Amino acid sequence: EVQLLESGGGLVQPGGSLRLSCSASGFIFSDYAMSWVRQAPGKGLERVSSLTNGGDQIKYAESVEGRFTISRDNSKNILYVQMNVLRAEDTAVYYCVKDGGDHGRILYPEVWGPGTMVTVSS
Amino acid sequence: QSALTQPASVSGSPGQSITISCTGTSSDVGSYNLVSWYRQDPGKAPKVIIYEGTKRPSGISRRFSVSKSGNTASLTISGLQAEDEADYYCCSYAGFGTFVFGTGTKVTVL
């Protein structure tokens, strides 16, 4: 069974930093693209960032470009996102998502973790 | 990349059929047969119910069907049941390793 578990969320002040991690199990992590998707309270889903299985193709939403950095460690089956210069509008539940595309491509979100809450507030 | 447009809410009585539209552009929905649909219950993570345009994961009822015309994809729930009440999101591949979500639709069973 595919399992994804996010960690690292919490309360941070505006301008601060946070690193989220996602531990993956139940599938060959190095075969699949992964993404971070967020959902602000009471709002819809927003793709934050994605990367292919080997990390050679990386995409960011315009809203986080230059502030967030996605990465992965295929030897440890862990996905990361480093979030810097956080703003109030970054407050959201952040989901780790396994992609359903074959050959490690980014195509569509398939399996979701339970999410971790990030709150940016003074 | 702009979000795909969905109606904010759709409602129906038990046994009826409802349809949720998902309107994008020629750069996403109109260009790829790669629309997926998700159900999200309150406080839970989304769960895929349709992927790669028409495929249903194991365990997903055949009451969920899809169609597409031009830049608009649609999800139809037939034989509406109380348990179908949830938020539903569409998502389309948009090229160059990106995908975009719909605005979300709250389904209410009257």
Side-chain angles (χ1 to χ4, degrees):
Chain A
E1 179 191 4
V2 173
Q3 290 195 332
L4 303 168
L5 186 61
E6 305 90 343
S7 60
L11 175 64
V12 60
Q13 292 188 338
S17 298
L18 212 56
R19 187 177 83 156
L20 304 183
S21 301
C22 170
S23 293
S25 62
F27 65 104
I28 302 174
F29 183 73
S30 58
D31 281 354
Y32 292 92
M34 298 291 294
S35 297
W36 289 98
V37 174
R38 69 184 180 184
Q39 186 172 35
K43 302 297 184 181
L45 302 171
E46 179 189 19
R47 180 187 65 87
V48 173
S49 183
S50 304
L51 79 172
T52 48
N53 63 326
D56 53 298
Q57 184 180 35
I58 292 177
K59 297 293 182 180
Y60 295 101
E62 285 185 17
S63 56
V64 306
E65 182 87 55
R67 300 188 298 122
F68 288 16
T69 302
I70 191 172
S71 62
R72 63 191 297 162
D73 186 335
N74 285 345
S75 68
K76 297 181 179 178
N77 293 355
I78 301 178
L79 177 72
Y80 301 100
V81 63
Q82 176 68 43
M83 305 186 294
N84 298 329
V85 195
L86 283 161
R87 306 165 179 165
E89 53 265 36
D90 295 318
T91 294
V93 174
Y94 284 74
Y95 295 103
C96 169
V97 183
K98 170 189 173 292
D99 204 277
D102 55 3
H103 307 297
R105 297 181 297 165
I106 301 166
L107 281 185
Y108 71 95
E110 182 189 29
V111 182
W112 302 63
T116 187
M117 183 71 202
V118 172
T119 302
V120 184
S121 175
S122 54
Chain B
Q1 246 172 13
S2 297
L4 309 176
T5 301
Q6 297 180 234
S9 63
V10 174
S11 61
S13 300
Q16 287 186 329
S17 294
I18 61 169
T19 297
I20 302 168
S21 60
C22 169
T23 301
T25 69
S26 57
S27 297
D28 38 61
V29 176
S31 285
Y32 306 97
N33 287 320
L34 288 171
V35 175
S36 49
W37 290 87
Y38 304 84
R39 170 199 173 113
Q40 185 178 34
D41 293 297
K44 302 290 187 180
K47 176 183 174 183
V48 65
I49 58 173
I50 298 287
Y51 65 100
E52 293 181 0
T54 59
K55 300 176 181 178
R56 275 189 306 273
S58 173
I60 299 301
S61 171
R62 296 179 68 173
R63 296 187 297 107
F64 294 88
S65 61
V66 292
S67 62
K68 193 182 97 166
S69 178
N71 298 335
T72 298
S74 299
L75 173 73
T76 297
I77 308 176
S78 304
L80 196 63
Q81 300 178 3
E83 66 199 45
D84 297 328
E85 218 170 72
D87 292 330
Y88 291 81
Y89 291 89
C90 62
C91 177
S92 176
Y93 183 69
F96 305 104
T98 65
F99 50 80
V100 58
F101 289 102
T103 49
T105 299
K106 181 177 182 63
V107 169
T108 301
V109 181
L110 302 172

